């Protein structure tokens, strides 16, 4: 059934048992209950609002009281702090007087006026203070008060001596003996100072307090003069240090000294000329060769051939005019006169009953030749006549010997590890000492300044002694035991300035070490790591000014290295003398 547009929708009839609608209106009873509930809700809301207002007011009052209490406590703390600050010591008051003047108890305006100084008027009292300010009496009093201030407390542990473990690997080098396993801090400090002074060559000026105080007094007077000198001249103001630094040695690799003529076999000897820039090589190929050393080409000067005479050792004479050479299996030896070009054979020395003449040493003054024989015999010969002067005998077998720089004594090293000291004039044994830990002696060397003695043993240990200890003690303690070689130490030599000690072994490849004498440390950059170039070292030598270092090896080469820190001294010191010697050699006979 369709409805018209204005026809209302019929309402459904009420179900059985249901309530009948009252013309779209709810019952009056329901409206009355609702009004009551709304009234109660409004009353409850007002009560809660009134109570909340009271609580908020109480919280605000409590916060205000807490803030006031905190401000009072802060004010009390500040007052207490200011009260403590008001009690100043005498030194602080003196310092305040020094900074602010005599105005400790004046008002703030007076203090500011005192700091600002006088403006527009002359104060006689201030003029008096300015005149007396140069005396700085107040300064001295204030400093005195500050210096005499007593410490707040004294710790007993600071005064107690504490022992330091010396067996640590960083402190082993400071031990003078195995018994010194612990040292006090004072003794360790003294050891460090001694090592520093040895490395620096004494106490430097900046470390000497007395000199610094004196220099401060005169510094102001000399500053103006130094500035004037600096501005008046030009040039290099930075120069090389006279002392050789430790750690890394600045060395350059040059062409071999015998580049133009390598030996057929191993080289037995390499040695620099004492006055000219010339190097000599000799070996088992029965030849002696001379080369001019320039580090670039190293041209050959001359070579001589000794028939059926493999050379065991060759050496320049002190004046540089002769070469003495001994053979491996011969009783005779040769003397080569470089000025005349003659080769003089010395067939036999009367009184020397030896099967072979091999090892020998020449005295630094050029007067004696010491031949090492068998069964511990030492034969002293005259360099002029080549005749026997006297014979000395050591206990056991003598393996090496060396003259002192003044040629007055001879150090002979026996196979049993004992060192005998002989007087050259009387040929008597002055003293004998044992090389520490040596089972078999191999080589010995003395420094050019007669300060050190180096003894190399079959175990590879090279002990470094001072000559004073060797002359006085029977069992001296070495200042340094060099343990960088693992095979027998067969060669040791000092450079002319006693800054470097070269140790080597001919029983292993690359077994060469250079030791920095002032600090007793090994240079870490020699030989070059993982680069085989030296092979078996047979002989070593430094040039007269330590500008060059040469090593003779088993390959017939005389390797040459330049010490860059010492090149100026060798090139500038004896160039004239070198060329004079070469010119004399050139004029007297032609080169072959």
């Amino acid at each position: 059934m369709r409805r018209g547009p204005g026809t209302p929708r019929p309402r459904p009839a009420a179900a059985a048992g249901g309530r009948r609608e009252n013309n779209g209106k709810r019952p009056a009873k329901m409206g009355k209950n609702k009004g009551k509930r709304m009234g109660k809700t409004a009353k409850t809301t007002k009560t809660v609002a009134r109570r909340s207002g009271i609580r908020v007011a109480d919280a605000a009052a409590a916060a205000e009281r807490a803030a006031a209490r905190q401000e009072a406590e802060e004010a009390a703390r500040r007052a207490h702090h200011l009260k403590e600050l008001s009690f100043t010591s005498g030194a602080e008051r003196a310092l305040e007087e020094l900074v602010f003047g005599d105005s400790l108890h004046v008002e703030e305006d007076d203090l500011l006026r005192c700091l600002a100084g006088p403006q527009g008027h002359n104060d006689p009292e201030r003029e008096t203070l300015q005149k007396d300010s140069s005396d700085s009496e107040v300064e001295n009093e204030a400093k005195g008060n500050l210096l005499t201030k007593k410490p707040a407390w004294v710790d007993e542990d600071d005064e107690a001596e504490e022992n330091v473990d010396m067996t640590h690997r960083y402190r082993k080098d400071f031990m003078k003996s195995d018994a010194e396993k612990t040292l006090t801090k004072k003794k360790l400090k003294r050891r460090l100072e001694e090592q520093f002074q040895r490395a620096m060559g004494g106490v430097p000026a900046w470390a000497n307090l007395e000199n610094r105080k004196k220099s401060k007094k005169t510094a102001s007077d000399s500053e103006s003069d130094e500035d004037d000198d600096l501005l008046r001249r030009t040039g290099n103001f930075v120069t090389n240090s006279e002392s050789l630094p430790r750690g890394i040695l600045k060395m350059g690799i040059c062409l071999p000294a015998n580049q133009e003529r390598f030996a057929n076999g191993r080289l037995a000897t390499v040695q620099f000329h004492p006055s000219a820039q010339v190097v000599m090589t000799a070996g088992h190929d029965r030849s002696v060769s001379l080369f001019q050393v320039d580090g670039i080409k190293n041209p050959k000067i001359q070579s001589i051939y000794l028939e059926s005479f493999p050379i065991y050792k060759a050496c320049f004479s002190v004046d540089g005019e002769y070469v003495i050479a001994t053979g491996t299996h011969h009783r005779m030896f040769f003397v080569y006169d470089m000025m005349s070009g003659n080769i003089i054979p010395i067939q036999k020395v009367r009184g020397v009953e030896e099967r072979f003449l091999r090892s020998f040493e020449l005295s630094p003054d050029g007067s004696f030749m010491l031949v090492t024989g068998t069964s511990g015999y030492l034969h002293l010969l005259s360099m002029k006549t080549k005749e026997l002067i006297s014979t000395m005998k050591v206990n056991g077998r003598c393996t090496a010997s060396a003259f002192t720089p003044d040629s007055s004594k001879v150090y002979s090293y026996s196979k049993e590890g004992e060192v005998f000291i002989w007087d050259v004039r009387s040929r008597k044994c002055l003293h004998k000492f044992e090389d520490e830990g040596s089972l078999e002696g191999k080589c010995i060397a003395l420094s050019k300044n007669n300060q050190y003695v180096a003894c190399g043993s079959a175990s590879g240990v090279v002990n470094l002694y001072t000559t004073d200890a060797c002359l006085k003690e029977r069992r001296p303690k070495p200042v340094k035991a060099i343990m960088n070689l693992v095979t027998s130490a067969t060669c040791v030599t000092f450079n002319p300035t006693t800054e470097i000690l070269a140790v080597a072994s001919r029983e292993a490849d690359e077994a060469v070490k250079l030791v920095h004498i002032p600090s007793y440390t090994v240079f870490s950059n020699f030989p070059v790591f993982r680069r085989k170039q030296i092979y078996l070292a047979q002989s070593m030598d430094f040039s007269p000014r330590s500008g060059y270092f040469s090593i003779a090896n088993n390959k017939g080469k005389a390797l040459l290295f330049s010490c860059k820190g010492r090149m100026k001294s060798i090139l500038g010191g004896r160039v004239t003398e070198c060329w004079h010697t070469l010119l004399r050699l050139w004029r007297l006979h032609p080169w072959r």
Side-chain angles (χ1 to χ4, degrees), residues 10 104 132 138-139 170 182-183 187 194 262 455 484 486 501:
L104 294 175
D132 297 340
V138 179
E139 260 183 55
Y170 291 149
T182 58
L183 282 180
K187 290 185 178 179
E194 291 175 358
F262 291 143
C455 300
N484 296 84
V486 295
L501 171 63

Side-chain angles (χ1 to χ4, degrees), residues 173-376:
D173 295 337
F174 299 107
M175 295 174 59
K176 293 185 177 180
S177 64
D178 296 336
E180 292 181 340
K181 294 185 179 180
T182 58
L183 282 180
T184 61
K185 285 187 175 181
K186 292 182 179 179
K187 290 185 178 179
L188 180 59
K189 180 182 177 183
R190 196 178 304 114
R191 294 278 174 88
L192 291 171
E193 291 176 353
E194 291 175 358
Q195 185 189 22
F196 177 77
Q197 291 176 10
R198 282 197 301 267
M200 298 297 295
V203 181
W206 57 266
N208 196 334
L209 297 178
E210 296 181 359
N211 292 340
R212 289 180 65 183
K213 291 179 181 178
K214 294 179 181 179
S215 61
K216 283 181 180 179
K217 294 180 182 179
T218 58
S220 58
D221 301 334
S222 59
E223 278 180 359
S224 58
D225 299 337
E226 291 178 359
D227 294 341
D228 295 340
D229 294 339
L230 186 65
L231 297 174
R232 285 174 185 170
R233 61 188 179 92
T234 60
N236 295 327
F237 293 95
V238 180
T239 59
N240 293 332
S241 175
E242 295 181 358
S243 61
L244 186 67
R246 59 179 290 183
I248 296 177
L249 181 62
K250 295 182 180 179
M251 297 191 71
I253 302 175
C254 306
L255 288 176
N258 59 344
Q259 175 69 26
E260 295 191 359
R261 188 190 181 280
F262 291 143
N264 297 325
R266 70 176 185 179
L267 280 179
T269 300
V270 60
Q271 186 185 14
F272 287 91
H273 194 275
S275 59
Q277 202 163 333
V278 177
V279 68
M280 174 193 64
T281 61
H284 290 185
D285 62 347
R286 306 171 180 85
S287 64
V288 177
S289 302
L290 301 176
F291 302 89
Q292 180 188 350
V293 180
D294 58 5
I296 302 174
K297 294 183 178 180
N298 304 325
K300 187 184 75 171
I301 300 175
Q302 187 184 17
S303 292
I304 62 173
Y305 181 77
L306 303 176
E307 188 176 356
S308 301
F309 195 82
I311 298 173
Y312 181 85
K313 183 177 181 179
C315 185
F316 280 114
S317 62
V318 177
D319 55 8
E321 297 182 359
Y322 299 93
V323 174
I324 295 93
T326 57
T328 56
H329 297 85
H330 293 81
R331 187 181 295 182
M332 62 178 294
F333 62 93
F334 286 93
V335 178
Y336 171 51
D337 188 354
M338 294 189 297
M339 296 296 103
S340 62
N342 297 328
I343 301 175
I344 306 168
I346 308 297
Q347 294 294 340
K348 183 180 179 181
V349 179
R350 183 181 299 177
V352 179
E353 301 297 332
E354 297 289 346
R355 186 179 179 185
F356 304 126
L357 296 182
R358 293 178 177 177
S359 181
F360 69 94
E361 297 293 333
L362 300 181
S363 62
D365 61 356
S367 302
F368 306 104
M369 176 180 176
L370 185 68
V371 179
T372 303
T374 58
S375 302

Side-chain angles (χ1 to χ4, degrees), residues 68-80:
R69 190 183 306 108
Q70 186 175 2
E71 289 180 359
E73 291 177 357
E74 184 68 20
R77 187 181 62 81
R78 289 179 180 177
H80 181 68

Side-chain angles (χ1 to χ4, degrees), residues 11-166:
R11 297 180 179 274
R19 289 180 297 189
R20 185 181 293 178
E21 296 183 0
N22 187 13
N23 294 329
K25 297 181 181 179
R26 293 185 179 275
K29 188 175 181 179
M30 291 180 60
K32 187 176 180 181
N33 293 336
K34 183 178 180 180
K36 288 182 180 180
R37 284 196 302 270
M38 291 179 63
K40 290 181 180 179
T41 302
K43 289 179 182 180
T44 305
T45 303
K46 290 179 181 180
T47 304
V48 170
R50 185 168 57 253
R51 292 178 180 176
S52 298
I54 294 172
R55 291 176 182 175
V56 169
D58 293 342
E64 289 178 359
R65 287 194 299 272
R69 190 183 306 108
Q70 186 175 2
E71 289 180 359
E73 291 177 357
E74 184 68 20
R77 187 181 62 81
R78 289 179 180 177
H80 181 68
H81 183 63
L82 292 175
K83 185 177 180 181
E84 289 182 352
L85 290 178
S86 62
F87 296 101
T88 58
S89 62
E92 293 176 354
R93 285 196 295 273
L95 186 61
E96 290 178 358
E97 290 179 2
L98 178 63
V99 176
F100 298 106
D102 193 10
S103 57
L104 294 175
H105 304 289
V106 297
E107 299 295 334
E108 183 177 1
D109 296 337
D110 297 336
L111 179 60
L112 295 175
R113 186 169 58 256
C114 180
L115 290 173
Q119 298 179 359
H121 65 277
N122 295 328
D123 191 356
E125 295 181 359
R126 186 168 298 278
E127 291 179 358
T128 306
L129 288 174
Q130 289 178 355
K131 291 180 181 179
D132 297 340
S133 62
S134 60
D135 298 335
S136 65
E137 295 178 357
V138 179
E139 260 183 55
N140 295 333
E141 292 179 2
K143 290 179 181 178
N145 293 333
L146 290 173
L147 291 175
T148 57
K149 190 174 180 180
K150 295 182 179 180
W153 72 87
V154 177
D155 195 351
E156 296 179 356
D157 295 336
D158 294 341
E159 298 179 358
E161 292 187 358
E162 182 179 353
N163 293 329
V164 181
D165 184 16
M166 298 301 294

